[in-house]
Amino acid sequence: MSKFKGAIVVDTNRCKGCQLCVVACPKHVIALAQKKVNVHGYPYVEAAKPEDCIGCASCGIVCPDGCITVYKKNMEA
């Protein structure tokens, strides 16, 4: 039996820190970066607990700027 894990990649330079992805994530993987801003001066989100990602892609679906890409990794059980 196989199990899927997820991995997210955030384009931090496009992120405006709206935090819709933070709210959408059922596993609380994403958080607003503390005291960090991107090249445009916006605080951005990052994977705070990447090991908890299940690859559901809820974050990428709700992102209005298309900053998040979600990958699924097949983990052998």
Side-chain angles (χ1 to χ4, degrees):
M1 179 165 239
S2 64
K3 180 179 178 184
F4 286 102
K5 290 292 286 177
I8 66 166
V9 176
V10 179
D11 183 345
T12 57
N13 287 329
R14 290 179 57 197
C15 181
K16 294 179 183 164
C18 71
Q19 300 188 62
L20 289 175
C21 57
V22 174
V23 174
C25 181
K27 294 293 186 177
H28 310 289
V29 172
I30 305 170
L32 195 63
Q34 297 298 309
K35 300 180 182 178
K36 297 182 197 175
V37 294
N38 62 18
V39 295
H40 303 289
Y42 292 111
Y44 56 86
V45 297
E46 60 186 0
K49 296 190 283 182
E51 66 280 356
D52 292 344
C53 183
I54 58 172
C56 69
S58 292
C59 56
I61 292 167
V62 300
C63 181
D65 296 309
C67 303
I68 301 173
T69 304
V70 179
Y71 297 96
K72 284 189 179 182
K73 300 183 285 186
N74 189 3
M75 309 299 281
E76 295 293 324

